Amino acid sequence: MLLGLLAIGVVHSLTPSTPTLTKMAAFDTAVPTVDISPFTAPAAHSDAARRAVGQEWDAAMTNVGFAMITGHGVDPAIVDALRRGAHSFFGGPAASKQKYCYGPYGNPLGGFTGMGVEAVARSRDDHGSDGGATQTTALPDLVESFVFKPEETTKPKPPSMDDAGHAYHAALLQVLDALHKVTAAALGLDADFFAPYYAPSAKCSLRLAYYPPLSTTQQTSSAVRYGAHTDYTGYTILCQDDNDVGALDAGGLQVLLKSGQWAAVTPQRNAFVVNIGDLYEVWTNGRWRSTVHRVMKPPQG
């Protein structure tokens, strides 16, 4: 059983003042770790430290499109509280979870989506590090999910996730703000360059992904936990499950390198995985990579 917690940043507006950048040569590497504390605790760090982090970030997004971040300032207790609440919800009876289904996946109210509904690989277009790939016949993903929207007040949220979800969402918004400043430093822009595009506040979805035990039929089918895809928005900030062992033959999160090889992402306690979506690939004229990634199922047994 794996549980992923992620927040996705969605831009409000795009204007002609978007920076024009030149593509850079790149090389394959594993997912790097970047300490962003010079931006989350600026008083304790110098401008030189922030420039250095910007250079690291540019290299990570150019070469891989993914990075592990530390120094983000999120209290581990906030993460643990939501993880406990999510496990309580997803571990409950199917009928109890279905009460929180408020429409098809992607509806504006958020809520629960059961297994066999999403098939994210079918969403591919010509973006992404592999040039795009059509997978219209991909089987539905072996995942349950809950989309938590704090601003949505017309529908109830599961009690086990209500307070914890609001706290986690608020904390991740602070991380997103820091990442925008990291991005500006990486691209040689003013520190607040991206602020107007997310004003008056960033619209972010918190999506909790739950990968339950599989039947023999599901285990032997070609279906995977979450099909190969790119994200289409700005940043995705993922909290991996510690049980994701980070090996290609053990399932879990994998990213597609420029060599065409898949690389497993090994979890780090108290770190987040960050990747860019198609938006940043467009904004940077292809300098940064909207990298294809997937979540594979573990081997039988």
Side-chain angles (χ1 to χ4, degrees):
M1 177 177 63
L2 295 176
L3 178 70
L5 314 176
L6 60 89
I8 303 173
V10 182
V11 70
H12 275 247
S13 61
L14 181 62
T15 73
S17 62
T18 302
T20 299
L21 301 166
T22 304
K23 289 186 178 181
M24 297 176 63
F27 54 88
D28 282 338
T29 183
V31 175
T33 299
V34 179
D35 179 357
I36 66 168
S37 58
F39 291 88
T40 58
H45 297 85
S46 65
D47 288 341
R50 282 182 280 278
R51 286 194 295 272
V53 172
Q55 292 172 350
E56 289 183 66
W57 196 253
D58 184 37
M61 296 301 107
T62 299
N63 298 330
V64 190
F66 271 74
M68 288 274 194
I69 60 168
T70 59
H72 46 70
V74 177
D75 186 344
I78 292 176
V79 179
D80 292 341
L82 181 55
R83 194 181 297 280
R84 287 193 302 272
H87 274 293
S88 176
F89 171 74
F90 285 111
S96 296
K97 292 184 284 190
Q98 199 62 32
K99 293 178 182 177
Y100 296 94
C101 179
Y102 300 134
Y105 181 77
N107 78 83
L109 302 175
F112 174 74
T113 299
M115 188 186 292
V117 175
E118 295 182 71
V120 70
R122 300 178 192 173
S123 67
R124 292 300 313 279
D125 57 15
D126 59 357
H127 290 100
S129 52
D130 64 350
T134 301
Q135 299 186 41
T136 57
T137 60
L139 293 177
D141 301 317
L142 302 174
V143 62
E144 297 178 5
S145 68
F146 189 96
V147 174
F148 188 106
K149 297 192 174 188
E151 72 278 6
E152 169 49 48
T153 59
T154 65
K155 297 292 186 181
K157 296 175 174 60
S160 67
M161 295 195 295
D162 198 348
D163 291 344
H166 279 90
Y168 183 91
H169 188 276
L172 267 290
L173 284 181
Q174 296 299 312
V175 177
L176 180 62
D177 182 63
L179 287 176
H180 290 157
K181 291 179 170 60
V182 173
T183 300
L187 299 176
L189 304 169
D190 292 339
D192 294 325
F193 178 88
F194 290 97
Y197 303 120
Y198 291 84
S201 62
K203 296 297 184 185
C204 296
S205 294
L206 169 59
R207 180 180 180 275
L208 299 103
Y210 173 69
Y211 303 105
L214 300 177
S215 68
T216 300
T217 300
Q218 292 167 333
Q219 186 69 61
T220 57
S221 76
S222 62
V224 298
R225 291 296 200 180
Y226 213 54
H229 67 287
T230 62
D231 297 340
Y232 54 85
T233 55
Y235 281 116
T236 297
I237 307 171
L238 169 69
C239 181
Q240 278 182 284
D241 192 295
D242 292 337
N243 292 322
D244 186 345
V245 299
L248 285 176
D249 60 355
L253 177 63
Q254 300 175 2
V255 302
L256 184 63
L257 302 178
K258 286 184 175 179
S259 64
Q261 296 178 320
W262 288 97
V265 181
T266 304
Q268 295 184 38
R269 180 67 176 167
N270 298 327
F272 291 107
V273 181
V274 176
N275 67 279
I276 61 168
D278 299 341
L279 175 65
Y280 270 112
E281 185 175 285
V282 172
W283 267 5
T284 60
N285 290 335
R287 172 171 170 169
W288 287 4
R289 306 177 67 222
S290 180
T291 297
V292 177
H293 52 288
R294 65 188 184 185
V295 180
M296 300 300 286
K297 58 193 175 188
Q300 288 182 272

